[in-house]
Amino acid sequence: MSFRLTNYIPALDWGSSYTRETLSNDLVAAVIVTIMLIPQSLAYALLAGLPPEAGIYASIAPIILYAIFGSSRALAVGPVAVVSLMTAAAIGQIAESGTMGYAIAALTLAFLSGAILLVMGVFRLGFLANFLSHPVIAGFITASGILIAASQLKHLLGIPAHGHTLFQVISSLAQNLGSVNVITLALGASATGFLFWVRKGLKPRLRALGLSPKLADVGTKAGPVAAVVVTTLAVWGFGLEAQGVAVVGMVPQSLPPLTMPSFSPDLLRQLFIPALLISIIGFVESISVAQTLAAKKRQRINPDQELIGLGAANIGASLTGGYPVTGGFSRSVVNFDAGAETPAAGAFTAVGLAIAAVALTPLVYYLPKATLAATIIVAVLSLVDFSILRKTWGYSRADFFAVAATIVLTLGFGVETGVSAGVILSIALHLYKTSRPHVAEVGLVPGTQHFRNILRHDVETDDSVLTLRVDESLYFVNARFLEDLILDRTGDGSPVKHVILMCSAINEIDYSALESLEAINLQLTEMGIGLHMSEVKGPVMDRLKGSHFLRDLNGQIFQAQFDAWRALTLNRGAEVDRVERIS
Amino acid sequence: MSFRLTNYIPALDWGSSYTRETLSNDLVAAVIVTIMLIPQSLAYALLAGLPPEAGIYASIAPIILYAIFGSSRALAVGPVAVVSLMTAAAIGQIAESGTMGYAIAALTLAFLSGAILLVMGVFRLGFLANFLSHPVIAGFITASGILIAASQLKHLLGIPAHGHTLFQVISSLAQNLGSVNVITLALGASATGFLFWVRKGLKPRLRALGLSPKLADVGTKAGPVAAVVVTTLAVWGFGLEAQGVAVVGMVPQSLPPLTMPSFSPDLLRQLFIPALLISIIGFVESISVAQTLAAKKRQRINPDQELIGLGAANIGASLTGGYPVTGGFSRSVVNFDAGAETPAAGAFTAVGLAIAAVALTPLVYYLPKATLAATIIVAVLSLVDFSILRKTWGYSRADFFAVAATIVLTLGFGVETGVSAGVILSIALHLYKTSRPHVAEVGLVPGTQHFRNILRHDVETDDSVLTLRVDESLYFVNARFLEDLILDRTGDGSPVKHVILMCSAINEIDYSALESLEAINLQLTEMGIGLHMSEVKGPVMDRLKGSHFLRDLNGQIFQAQFDAWRALTLNRGAEVDRVERIS
């Protein structure tokens, strides 16, 4: 591929064909997203243990940088629930929430995460995200949703609580249950109930009132804003702050500040693994949203470019008072549904949020934290979906086991342990499965040239010819398995004179397996049994030709299994000197 | 399998058919092995940083326990070079060599290693050893041989040195090079030269003198004993100890003592990973020796029983003043060649060593450590074999890379890092390869029902039908790869109307891949393109039948690729309602 700047800065591509109509669509989307993002950003900052303005700041520079470097046209970048929780878990071990050290650790985490994403993008390591299997992601998101909801209960109840596992949070809540603030609880419970009703009941109601589906949708999305306005007015009007209702309080009225992450080697070392996990989880969340939306418009996403876009966004967050960000599901869908056509919509959203940061922050002084907690709880509970357990149970026990372990470990030991264990377990289970591959003894389907499993089909067999089809690549993990298998089948008293390995499903033979094949060949030779191979794939055959094995093999290599069968059963002992390459 | 005690205690099996002739063969072998083991045991204890008698003790109880529980008839268990080096590396970080703490840590390491092996045996986890690929083992043994030889140079030079990496050892030697003891060096160099000559030159010489091959072999094996006797007499006769030649010194004249490992949780935690690595390396070394010897007599080895045998041997070592043991290559080969027929030969060897421990230990007082170092150096240098680099380079770059990294990291960072990195790297490289599988577009070989790669063969194709043969199981690591691939091939302006996935090499479709297939099906449906599958294997089809996918699939499942081709090219649009299971 030749070097083109638009390959690296997609903005140059869509920017060159920007029209007045695109502009108006993007502007409308930006207004809608801005209104939705104000409470959401404050709430996620709260979840991350940061001052509320950090959430707004984390939505401004990152969204602009992603607009320049990202490849998705509709993705909206900023704070999201799971990454906010992971941020709190990572930094909570290092500094006390509310301190300067905590805020600097958050900047550093964003910087590290940005650097990791950029490096992955430059070296095209996007495939690393594939090591998170779909069930592990689903399990992790579900468990995180529960953890997040549990962590927000303290704001709903007006009591202190802490911890990064479900047990810690619940027991911490239970200890303080005596000092519940009733007014806070009333406010929080009403907000939560209202928001659930908005999700479930409002849209059909609005449709019944004759609103168009699109307007009904906008009405539904405005629910959190209504809850924010009403509860803020209630606290202000009835002086509830004096009754112990925790409010957001003073938020600095300013544009995002210029900030510097820390480069202390100790801190960087402590935050590296959390940053890596946040980067990968954030990338996976972001790219699945981006791909879903792109597919609807027949656009394509470039994963490596996405890494660069998200990397730039996170470095931007670290330099402007933010914390780790990624492409969020709800904000991106709203952006897309509101008609955003290019990343410029994101840039306009950033402008809207900057105006809010300067002009509207005094208005949120009396916003109760309980309302923010309610918006978080309602949002994340929609992520909780245990159906993945049922689906994987029916399809594959290994996948079920991986997802169940991910859920249990995330709830029991926190997000980092949970997701790491999920990845390691999926890989281990895959290796375990390939270590004991399915092997079928096959025979000839009468009247055809096809060979099928003798246990599943009525096929012709010959006692002196054993044909085994190994349904797996041969590599170090199962090399000895094959040795044991063949020696078991050709042991004392067996009438077998020829073993044919049918290699149609063998996609690789690594050096360990090659040595095992040599050992098998040697032992069968001593026993007077021929070893043959059929249907060897082109790439595998190319490799074997460079080794001693083909020269040492006591039998032959046949292009087709049928040739092998004919040669070894009909013309026993006759030479068939076709050693051909197949593919 | 029904419960039979002989399944768990193989000694009951061979013991019941023991004859006078077997007895005499076993006795002869035991005498030869005992003579060889005395200097070897002392030398390996030295290498492990333990007092010399620990090597003898580690050969007595373990050999008897293995004789009862092990499944190999010729394996000789005791201290071996690589495990001794790993013991020194593991304990060197915890205690100072020569202290009580060091000896107790060695007992504890043996106990932990024994417990790990027993657990692996009981739960039939022997397959875990397969995670060490052949090239990684070869690289590790070669690098360990170099490390061991380097670590013994200090005894040859009579200067202090320490360290667990090649760089540490060499720089430590270089610092003390000024204080070389010339007499020690003369003794050590002579012994080394003599032993090399025994290996290379003595056997042909003895044959030329008319000795039978067997006797010549025995003469060769007695070389180290001759070196020990001559140099001991020299030190004693010329009073070289006073000249600064380090000798073995006082060795307690006693049977193996009863000892207890430590159960301090801290120590157990520190030693767990080293014990795990020692167990796996020891098991791999032992089982490859056992299998090689068993194959020569058409016997079979039961890997899980071997784990139990080795586990019992190590626990025995921990209770009788020893340190981690395993089945050694040289001692087992000598045992086998000397005619050992049953594990009873091992038990007789143990008796011989017990007699030596009580009666002969005063004789080794003047044995110079330089001689022991010479026997180690000569033994381990025969393990050093860099040809694995050349062989893997020619066959598979991934294997080459894994072995090169294992060698470099073992030399540069020590045995634990080296072998761990080798295992992790082999797995990572395997996963990387399967993440970008070979995919062939196939066409019909004219006049047959076979389909082959269009790039390698002259085949019939049809612009509207794209048949892809994916040469890999579909699972989470490559799920997205397939999605990208198919959408790339069916994008704008493509004439493709049908995509056929030829699944002959797909051995598994996990849940992530199933979701990817569903996404592909959905997108192709939107584009008006049919998705079909052919040659789906029985076990894969069984799974798919339990899922929604088959119901949602917009195309069909064909038993044979030829059926799919005929249906989609000749009778375009015609329904072929064969959705059959194949295997």
Side-chain angles (χ1 to χ4, degrees):
Chain A
M1 194 191 310
S2 68
F3 178 85
R4 286 181 57 220
L5 201 55
T6 55
N7 286 344
Y8 296 88
I9 308 179
L12 297 177
D13 188 17
W14 58 258
S16 63
S17 56
Y18 206 71
T19 66
R20 184 182 296 258
E21 198 197 335
T22 325
L23 173 68
S24 99
N25 288 336
D26 282 350
L27 275 175
V28 170
V31 171
I32 295 175
V33 174
T34 305
I35 293 171
M36 176 193 131
L37 279 195
I38 296 172
Q40 202 183 81
S41 303
L42 298 172
Y44 288 150
L46 195 73
L47 170 57
L50 287 162
E53 64 270 21
I56 307 257
Y57 298 159
S59 302
I60 298 177
I63 221 170
I64 294 177
L65 286 161
Y66 180 82
I68 298 172
F69 294 103
S71 73
S72 162
R73 300 243 168 148
L75 196 73
V77 168
V80 305
V82 172
V83 168
S84 299
L85 176 73
M86 293 179 81
T87 298
I91 312 180
Q93 297 159 7
I94 291 170
E96 195 69 32
S97 175
T99 64
M100 194 63 190
Y102 194 93
I104 289 180
L107 298 175
T108 310
L109 192 64
F111 182 84
L112 258 180
S113 168
I116 291 171
L117 289 163
L118 279 181
V119 168
M120 284 172 66
V122 169
F123 290 100
R124 306 187 168 277
L125 301 179
F127 71 91
L128 283 179
N130 299 337
F131 283 57
L132 277 171
S133 75
H134 296 198
V136 165
I137 297 169
F140 178 68
I141 297 287
T142 288
S144 301
I146 295 172
L147 266 186
I148 293 170
S151 77
Q152 295 306 300
L153 285 177
K154 62 179 177 186
H155 296 299
L156 236 51
L157 300 167
I159 57 179
H162 51 81
H164 297 297
T165 71
L166 192 60
F167 177 77
Q168 285 169 357
V169 172
I170 302 256
S171 64
S172 174
L173 284 173
Q175 274 169 22
N176 298 313
L177 217 52
S179 49
V180 165
N181 182 300
V182 180
I183 302 179
T184 303
L185 178 56
L187 269 179
S190 319
T192 309
F194 170 72
L195 290 173
F196 269 118
W197 174 77
V198 164
R199 284 215 166 214
K200 305 274 172 195
L202 183 59
K203 200 169 170 181
R205 194 70 52 104
L206 291 176
R207 293 297 312 279
L209 289 175
L211 266 69
S212 74
K214 194 150 187 177
L215 269 180
D217 215 47
V218 170
T220 314
K221 293 292 190 289
V225 176
V228 163
V229 171
V230 171
T231 54
T232 304
L233 288 174
V235 171
W236 174 70
F238 300 108
L240 299 181
E241 197 196 355
Q243 315 273 337
V245 172
V247 297
V248 167
M250 192 73 104
V251 176
Q253 208 171 343
S254 100
L255 287 175
L258 277 182
T259 51
M260 277 296 279
S262 157
F263 294 103
S264 135
D266 261 2
L267 188 62
L268 291 176
R269 207 175 307 120
Q270 279 177 301
L271 291 177
F272 183 77
I273 295 291
L276 184 69
L277 293 174
I278 286 176
S279 304
I280 293 185
I281 292 285
F283 175 59
V284 167
E285 174 164 0
S286 185
I287 198 142
S288 34
V289 180
Q291 277 176 335
T292 307
L293 298 180
K296 293 193 183 178
K297 293 204 171 178
R298 294 280 189 101
Q299 292 160 352
R300 296 295 300 278
I301 295 298
N302 173 350
D304 294 313
Q305 189 61 42
E306 281 301 289
L307 284 166
I308 291 175
L310 292 175
N314 273 290
I315 289 190
S318 78
L319 299 176
T320 58
Y323 69 99
V325 296
T326 192
F329 182 74
S330 58
R331 55 175 65 195
S332 301
V333 170
V334 171
N335 194 35
F336 182 85
D337 287 348
E341 290 198 20
T342 73
F348 301 143
T349 305
V351 173
L353 286 170
I355 294 172
V358 173
L360 305 181
T361 40
L363 301 182
V364 300
Y365 185 96
Y366 290 107
L367 169 56
K369 288 188 174 175
T371 307
L372 293 180
T375 66
I376 295 180
I377 289 174
V378 174
V380 298
L381 285 185
S382 71
L383 301 177
V384 173
D385 178 6
F386 284 104
S387 73
I388 187 69
L389 286 173
R390 183 177 41 74
K391 289 182 197 155
T392 50
W393 177 263
Y395 185 71
S396 150
R397 295 296 146 90
D399 280 315
F400 170 81
F401 193 57
V403 64
T406 306
I407 293 177
V408 169
L409 292 171
T410 303
L411 292 177
F413 296 92
V415 280
E416 288 172 15
T417 310
V419 74
S420 312
V423 171
I424 293 170
L425 202 60
S426 327
I427 293 174
L429 286 168
H430 172 72
L431 293 176
Y432 179 74
K433 277 185 280 183
T434 62
S435 79
R436 306 183 169 202
H438 178 253
V439 176
E441 180 175 347
V442 297
L444 181 66
V445 179
T448 73
Q449 301 190 2
H450 294 301
F451 287 77
R452 298 281 183 255
N453 192 338
I454 61 167
L455 300 178
R456 289 177 182 255
H457 299 267
D458 274 334
V459 289
E460 290 174 17
T461 57
D462 182 319
D463 280 351
S464 71
V465 177
L466 172 68
T467 304
L468 295 175
R469 193 194 69 210
V470 182
D471 287 350
E472 193 57 66
S473 292
L474 300 179
Y475 75 116
F476 61 98
V477 165
N478 57 30
R480 210 184 298 276
F481 171 88
L482 186 68
E483 238 177 295
D484 287 346
L485 181 87
I486 291 185
L487 297 181
D488 267 345
R489 298 295 292 271
T490 52
D492 287 343
S494 139
V496 173
K497 291 274 157 250
H498 295 282
V499 174
I500 308 171
L501 280 184
M502 183 175 166
C503 302
S504 48
I506 295 177
N507 304 311
E508 201 212 339
I509 296 179
D510 81 350
Y511 192 80
S512 300
L514 181 72
E515 290 198 333
S516 280
L517 285 176
E518 280 169 356
I520 293 168
N521 180 51
L522 207 68
Q523 299 209 32
L524 290 183
T525 305
E526 281 182 16
M527 295 155 77
I529 298 175
L531 177 64
H532 312 268
M533 297 169 90
S534 71
E535 314 253 349
V536 182
K537 284 174 197 294
V540 174
M541 196 64 195
D542 288 349
R543 279 255 173 97
L544 289 182
K545 283 190 174 154
S547 77
H548 288 234
F549 176 66
L550 286 196
R551 215 177 45 211
D552 300 341
L553 185 68
N554 74 28
Q556 294 149 34
I557 304 236
F558 298 92
Q559 175 165 16
Q561 169 58 24
F562 187 67
D563 299 342
W565 175 259
R566 218 169 27 185
L568 299 172
T569 56
L570 302 184
N571 311 309
R572 256 167 229 179
E575 276 295 316
V576 176
D577 46 14
R578 289 213 258 162
V579 178
E580 280 172 325
R581 158 203 286 208
I582 66 156
S583 163
Chain B
M1 194 191 310
S2 67
F3 179 85
R4 286 182 56 222
L5 201 55
T6 55
N7 286 342
Y8 295 89
I9 308 179
L12 297 178
D13 188 18
W14 57 258
S16 63
S17 56
Y18 206 72
T19 66
R20 182 183 296 259
E21 197 196 334
T22 325
L23 173 68
S24 99
N25 287 337
D26 283 349
L27 274 175
V28 170
V31 170
I32 294 175
V33 175
T34 304
I35 293 171
M36 175 191 130
L37 279 194
I38 295 174
Q40 203 184 81
S41 303
L42 299 172
Y44 288 149
L46 195 73
L47 170 58
L50 287 161
E53 65 270 21
I56 307 258
Y57 298 159
S59 302
I60 297 177
I63 222 170
I64 294 176
L65 286 162
Y66 180 83
I68 299 172
F69 294 104
S71 72
S72 163
R73 299 242 168 149
L75 197 72
V77 168
V80 305
V82 172
V83 168
S84 298
L85 176 73
M86 293 178 82
T87 299
I91 311 180
Q93 295 158 11
I94 291 170
E96 194 70 33
S97 175
T99 64
M100 193 64 190
Y102 194 93
I104 289 178
L107 298 175
T108 310
L109 192 63
F111 182 83
L112 259 179
S113 169
I116 291 171
L117 289 162
L118 278 181
V119 167
M120 284 172 65
V122 169
F123 290 100
R124 306 187 168 275
L125 301 179
F127 70 92
L128 283 179
N130 298 336
F131 283 58
L132 277 171
S133 76
H134 297 197
V136 165
I137 297 169
F140 178 69
I141 297 287
T142 288
S144 301
I146 295 172
L147 267 186
I148 292 170
S151 78
Q152 294 307 301
L153 284 178
K154 63 179 176 184
H155 295 300
L156 236 51
L157 299 167
I159 56 179
H162 51 81
H164 297 298
T165 71
L166 192 60
F167 177 77
Q168 285 169 356
V169 171
I170 302 258
S171 64
S172 175
L173 284 173
Q175 275 168 22
N176 298 314
L177 218 52
S179 49
V180 163
N181 183 301
V182 180
I183 302 179
T184 303
L185 178 56
L187 269 179
S190 321
T192 310
F194 170 73
L195 290 173
F196 268 119
W197 173 79
V198 165
R199 282 213 168 217
K200 305 274 171 193
L202 182 60
K203 200 169 171 183
R205 194 71 51 105
L206 290 176
R207 293 296 312 278
L209 289 175
L211 266 69
S212 74
K214 196 151 184 174
L215 268 179
D217 216 44
V218 170
T220 313
K221 294 290 190 291
V225 177
V228 163
V229 170
V230 171
T231 55
T232 304
L233 288 175
V235 172
W236 175 71
F238 300 108
L240 298 181
E241 196 195 357
Q243 314 275 335
V245 172
V247 297
V248 167
M250 193 71 107
V251 176
Q253 209 171 345
S254 101
L255 287 175
L258 274 184
T259 51
M260 276 298 278
S262 158
F263 294 102
S264 135
D266 262 1
L267 188 62
L268 292 176
R269 207 174 309 119
Q270 280 177 300
L271 291 178
F272 182 76
I273 295 290
L276 184 67
L277 293 174
I278 286 176
S279 304
I280 292 186
I281 291 284
F283 175 58
V284 168
E285 174 164 0
S286 185
I287 197 141
S288 33
V289 179
Q291 277 176 335
T292 307
L293 298 181
K296 292 195 185 177
K297 293 204 172 176
R298 295 281 187 102
Q299 293 160 352
R300 296 295 299 278
I301 295 299
N302 174 349
D304 294 312
Q305 189 60 44
E306 281 301 290
L307 284 165
I308 291 175
L310 292 174
N314 273 289
I315 290 192
S318 78
L319 300 176
T320 57
Y323 69 100
V325 295
T326 192
F329 183 73
S330 58
R331 57 176 64 194
S332 301
V333 171
V334 170
N335 194 35
F336 183 85
D337 288 348
E341 289 197 22
T342 74
F348 301 144
T349 304
V351 172
L353 286 169
I355 294 171
V358 172
L360 305 181
T361 41
L363 302 182
V364 301
Y365 185 96
Y366 289 106
L367 170 56
K369 288 187 174 176
T371 307
L372 293 180
T375 65
I376 294 180
I377 289 175
V378 174
V380 296
L381 285 185
S382 71
L383 302 177
V384 173
D385 178 6
F386 284 103
S387 73
I388 188 69
L389 286 172
R390 183 177 42 73
K391 288 182 197 154
T392 50
W393 177 261
Y395 184 72
S396 150
R397 295 295 146 90
D399 279 315
F400 170 80
F401 192 58
V403 64
T406 305
I407 292 177
V408 169
L409 292 171
T410 303
L411 292 177
F413 295 92
V415 281
E416 287 172 14
T417 310
V419 74
S420 312
V423 171
I424 292 170
L425 202 60
S426 330
I427 293 173
L429 286 168
H430 171 73
L431 294 175
Y432 179 75
K433 277 186 281 184
T434 62
S435 80
R436 305 183 170 201
H438 178 253
V439 177
E441 180 176 348
V442 297
L444 180 65
V445 180
T448 73
Q449 300 189 3
H450 294 301
F451 288 76
R452 298 281 183 258
N453 193 337
I454 61 168
L455 300 179
R456 290 177 182 255
H457 299 267
D458 275 335
V459 288
E460 288 174 19
T461 58
D462 181 319
D463 280 350
S464 70
V465 177
L466 172 68
T467 304
L468 296 175
R469 192 193 69 209
V470 182
D471 286 350
E472 193 59 65
S473 292
L474 300 178
Y475 75 116
F476 60 99
V477 165
N478 58 29
R480 210 184 296 276
F481 170 89
L482 185 69
E483 238 176 295
D484 288 345
L485 181 86
I486 291 184
L487 298 180
D488 268 344
R489 298 295 292 271
T490 52
D492 288 342
S494 136
V496 173
K497 292 274 156 249
H498 295 283
V499 174
I500 308 171
L501 281 184
M502 183 175 167
C503 302
S504 48
I506 295 177
N507 304 312
E508 200 213 340
I509 296 180
D510 80 351
Y511 192 80
S512 300
L514 181 73
E515 291 199 334
S516 280
L517 285 176
E518 280 169 355
I520 292 168
N521 179 50
L522 207 68
Q523 299 210 31
L524 291 183
T525 304
E526 282 183 16
M527 295 155 78
I529 298 175
L531 177 64
H532 312 267
M533 297 170 89
S534 72
E535 315 253 348
V536 182
K537 284 174 198 292
V540 174
M541 196 65 195
D542 289 349
R543 279 252 176 100
L544 290 181
K545 282 189 175 154
S547 76
H548 287 233
F549 176 67
L550 286 196
R551 215 177 47 210
D552 299 341
L553 184 69
N554 75 28
Q556 295 148 33
I557 304 234
F558 297 93
Q559 175 164 12
Q561 168 60 23
F562 187 68
D563 299 341
W565 175 259
R566 215 167 30 184
L568 299 171
T569 57
L570 303 183
N571 311 310
R572 256 168 230 179
E575 276 295 318
V576 176
D577 45 15
R578 289 213 258 159
V579 178
E580 282 172 323
R581 158 202 286 207
I582 65 156
S583 165

